Amino acid sequence: RENAKIVRLTPNQLSAEPSGRCLRAVRFFTGDMRRCGQWVKRQVLIIQLLDGVLRGTAQVMFVSNPVSGLLISTGLFLQNPWWALNSLLGAFVSTVSALLLRLNRSDAIFAGLHGYNGTLVGMLMAAFSSKGNWYWWLLFPNVFMSMLCPVVSSALSSIMSKWDLPVFTLPFNILTCLHIAATGTAHPYFPEVKIQPKAHLYHNDSLANLSIPQLFLSVPVGVGQVFGCDSPWTACLVLLALLLCSPAICLHALLGSAAGLCTGLALAAPLEDVYSGLWGYNSALSCIAIGGVFYGLTWQTHILSLICALFCAYVTSATSKLMSVLALPVCTWPFCLSTLIFLLLSSENPAICRPPLSAVSCPEENQHYLRQLRTSEKALSSCKGERTLERMEG
């Protein structure tokens, strides 16, 4: 009996053990860090803004974790400090703009949902500028376009909410293409890099000249290209940030990038584009979105996410050729188009279940939410059945 008392430890005793402390520390930094978010709400506005900016940086990859945002920001600085500075400025300006417009519905601002489009706008405006690094005048259009991100996002969400759909990166696509189309390559103050038409760029001998090491390296690089980065070190930090928050998101990011790579090879894409990850980033985002973020993660939705990633790669090929005729980048238009099509899927399969947009979190949290929802529905149906039997007996 004395030994049994020693073995049976209470939860407080477990937390006092070294292994329990380590487990609590790991849980604190993984997932969406809700405890940290609750602590931040009680702090001054500067701390809240810092947390919102880091979460906004991570929300590009459907992750609401400030530590993940810090890792991704570190990777962006490894790629190019000027690009990283513009991305953080874009996230900060768009977050402050949303605060001033009072768009904090369901704590969306401090969850980073009004910062991720500004992150991409700032990053890609610096990447597409032909003036190179440290051209300080670029900060003015960056601030202006980032300030418009919450406006465009709120306007689009008013339309998309009718179908309970997210706006994704549509504000980033609209504002970035608007800026590039308005300035062009010959602008005296804000010239853009020239985008070559891709109508006839095919490599029939691509498989013969294939480099297997570069091919494997292009899978993680394709995930890093979501931020416009082709550095393997940046890609590794982005994947580490995803793994810290959700292993399922990290896995689907790699699978989506690999699916886009294979489709690029099948379509005889230039090997330079394949190796640099340009065929992987849209498919990676689509695979993440369908594979557990906006659908409950089952083996059916897992297969559906891979199909969506392959479809997204085809859309990438078609869209890049159409956009290059207009001298515009493809951005993340293929991801938005293909993912929205798959989210509008009407299926009676109970395994393909989409949680409400207000309840969307990481795949692990979505699984827990849907499991609780099914349990409550079963309990409610059993109660109704018992009441019906009582009435019949009465």
Side-chain angles (χ1 to χ4, degrees), residues 66-328:
V67 178
S68 297
L70 183 61
L71 288 172
I72 292 173
S73 299
T74 304
L76 299 184
F77 273 100
L78 288 177
Q79 172 74 32
N80 189 308
W82 173 242
W83 294 6
L85 178 64
N86 275 270
S87 70
L88 290 176
L89 177 64
F92 174 77
V93 170
S94 59
T95 303
V96 172
S97 178
L99 274 174
L100 295 176
L101 292 172
R102 297 186 179 181
L103 301 177
N104 199 21
R105 183 175 56 187
S106 301
D107 297 329
I109 295 177
F110 296 114
L113 295 177
H114 286 290
Y116 68 94
N117 279 296
T119 300
L120 290 175
V121 165
M123 187 78 181
L124 272 297
M125 283 180 65
F128 285 117
S129 174
S130 62
K131 283 288 188 178
N133 297 334
W134 311 111
Y135 181 64
W136 296 100
W137 291 107
L138 186 66
L139 297 181
F140 289 99
N142 182 2
V143 168
F144 180 66
M145 289 297 174
S146 300
M147 181 182 64
L148 291 175
C149 283
V151 179
V152 178
S153 180
S154 180
L156 290 174
S157 63
S158 299
I159 301 172
M160 308 289 277
S161 60
K162 296 179 180 179
W163 299 277
D164 199 32
L165 291 173
V167 297
F168 289 133
T169 52
L170 285 174
F172 152 68
N173 291 326
I174 293 171
L175 293 171
T176 302
C177 290
L178 180 66
H179 171 75
I180 293 176
T183 54
T185 58
H187 197 275
Y189 309 118
F190 309 113
E192 306 296 331
V193 296
K194 189 175 182 180
I195 298 175
Q196 298 290 343
K198 298 183 179 182
H200 303 290
L201 293 181
Y202 293 104
H203 279 216
N204 294 325
D205 59 342
S206 57
L207 293 179
N209 300 325
L210 199 61
S211 172
I212 301 301
Q214 284 186 303
L215 193 65
F216 277 102
L217 188 62
S218 64
V219 175
V221 169
V223 180
Q225 277 287 5
V226 173
F227 295 90
C229 301
D230 59 358
S231 170
W233 298 108
T234 301
C236 289
L237 284 175
V238 172
L239 288 171
L240 179 61
L242 300 184
L243 184 63
L244 178 67
C245 179
S246 170
I249 288 180
C250 182
L251 174 64
H252 282 86
L254 289 170
L255 291 176
S257 179
L261 180 149
C262 294
T263 308
L265 292 177
L267 295 176
L271 290 180
E272 294 79 10
D273 292 348
V274 175
Y275 294 152
S276 61
L278 293 177
W279 278 84
Y281 71 96
N282 275 297
S283 296
L285 288 173
S286 295
C287 196
I288 294 172
I290 302 300
V293 175
F294 294 98
Y295 279 115
L297 184 57
T298 60
W299 68 266
Q300 291 92 337
T301 55
H302 176 69
I303 295 175
L304 192 67
S305 68
L306 295 177
I307 296 172
C308 183
L310 295 171
F311 173 68
C312 182
Y314 269 85
V315 177
T316 300
S317 178
T319 307
S320 61
K321 293 172 185 176
L322 292 174
M323 299 291 282
S324 64
V325 175
L326 302 174
L328 293 174

Side-chain angles (χ1 to χ4, degrees), residues 28 30-35 37 55 64-66 245 361-362 365:
F28 182 81
T30 56
D32 55 4
M33 292 184 63
R34 290 184 181 179
R35 291 185 180 179
R55 287 180 186 269
S64 180
N65 186 310
C245 179
S361 182
C362 59
E365 292 291 333

